[in-house]
Amino acid sequence: GENVEQHPSTLSVQEGDSAVIKCTYSDSASNYFPWYKQELGKGPQLIIDIRSNVGEKKDQRIAVTLNKTAKHFSLHITETQPEDSAVYFCAASYQTGANNLFFGTGTRLTVIP
Amino acid sequence: DTEVTQTPKHLVMGMTNKKSLKCEQHMGHRAMYWYKQKAKKPPELMFVYSYEKLSINESVPSRFSPECPNSSLLNLHLHALQPEDSALYLCASSQDGMPPAGGYTFGSGTRLTVV
């Protein structure tokens, strides 16, 4: 099966700075890469995703880049705000008869006011 | 309606109890999922239903029994659980197709404590 590694496990940044979280995946068949934000006591919330035929996608302060050759993808958050503090999970997916998501180990982001 | 609704939000049960977790979505999604999440860990897939048929069972113990009564509902029946089964149980849904249009939508989960 797919193996997704995520770094760093914790990240602290000053408000207004940028944050970058990186993930690598193992299976070249993976073709869908979402990022989830999980706040305490809540389920994961999709914040951005990218498909394997796209190299970069941006949505306001959030961007994701994908390097298929190197099998890695990254989340970039600019102008961070305290409400960005949460655990972020990357994931990779490919069809195995039914859809399946393989999650990274998570990054706890703390934005210091 | 763009939500996945899970009930109850919290559940405490004894090791001899039988209980059920419920999940509901009205987005027309044809795939539904159960995930288990331990503290400070990523969600781990338990079961996948596609078009109301069980398509993936990730070697989950038989004390967990899923059921998909119709395309909008997903249940997880619990019996004779162990304290180590205490976790956040997440339900998710998605469109068919790979990758699914609109991605996967997660509910807020049921926080289960087995005593």
Side-chain angles (χ1 to χ4, degrees):
Chain A
E2 174 65 276
N3 180 43
V4 180
E5 295 188 357
Q6 182 172 347
H7 300 280
S9 57
T10 60
L11 179 61
S12 292
V13 298
Q14 291 291 137
E15 183 177 357
D17 287 351
S18 295
V20 180
I21 303 171
K22 298 182 178 182
C23 289
T24 61
Y25 61 99
S26 61
D27 197 322
S28 57
S30 289
N31 59 0
Y32 173 64
F33 306 91
W35 285 88
Y36 288 88
K37 175 184 182 181
Q38 188 172 25
E39 296 174 286
L40 196 62
K42 297 185 179 181
Q45 178 188 9
L46 179 68
I47 55 171
I48 196 167
D49 57 13
I50 192 167
R51 283 144 173 78
S52 59
N53 58 349
V54 176
E56 185 173 359
K57 183 177 179 181
K58 189 173 181 180
D59 182 5
Q60 299 182 8
R61 297 186 296 110
I62 295 173
V64 58
T65 58
L66 172 64
N67 183 327
K68 285 177 56 180
T69 303
K71 297 199 191 73
H72 66 71
F73 55 115
S74 301
L75 176 71
H76 303 253
I77 307 174
T78 59
E79 301 172 23
T80 53
Q81 302 167 2
E83 51 265 39
D84 295 328
S85 297
V87 178
Y88 291 80
F89 290 100
C90 63
S93 182
Y94 59 88
Q95 192 165 18
T96 57
N99 299 335
N100 191 4
L101 271 180
F102 297 89
F103 283 89
T105 48
T107 297
R108 180 170 298 278
L109 173 65
T110 302
V111 179
I112 303 165
Chain B
D1 188 353
T2 58
E3 290 186 345
V4 173
T5 302
Q6 290 188 245
T7 56
K9 292 191 183 304
H10 302 274
L11 178 63
V12 179
M13 62 184 289
M15 290 187 283
T16 59
N17 292 160
K18 287 185 180 182
K19 296 287 185 182
S20 296
L21 310 184
K22 297 186 183 301
C23 174
E24 189 168 1
Q25 57 89 13
H26 296 288
M27 295 176 280
H29 289 174
R30 301 313 299 266
M32 296 186 75
Y33 313 78
W34 281 114
Y35 282 83
K36 174 183 178 179
Q37 187 177 26
K38 301 284 277 185
K40 300 185 180 182
K41 297 290 187 181
E44 296 178 359
L45 183 68
M46 300 175 72
F47 303 103
V48 180
Y49 274 84
S50 179
Y51 289 88
E52 299 155 51
K53 286 184 169 47
L54 183 64
S55 59
I56 294 179
N57 176 344
E58 291 287 349
S59 302
V60 179
S62 60
R63 58 186 183 268
F64 295 91
S65 176
E67 178 196 19
C68 190
N70 59 55
S71 60
S72 299
L73 295 174
L74 185 66
N75 298 322
L76 185 63
H77 302 297
L78 314 172
H79 174 54
L81 295 193
Q82 303 297 310
E84 58 264 30
D85 295 321
S86 299
L88 180 68
Y89 287 84
L90 294 162
C91 174
S93 69
S94 73
Q95 299 274 16
D96 195 26
M98 187 55 219
Y104 301 72
T105 303
F106 282 83
S108 293
T110 294
R111 174 75 59 191
L112 174 67
T113 303
V114 181
V115 298

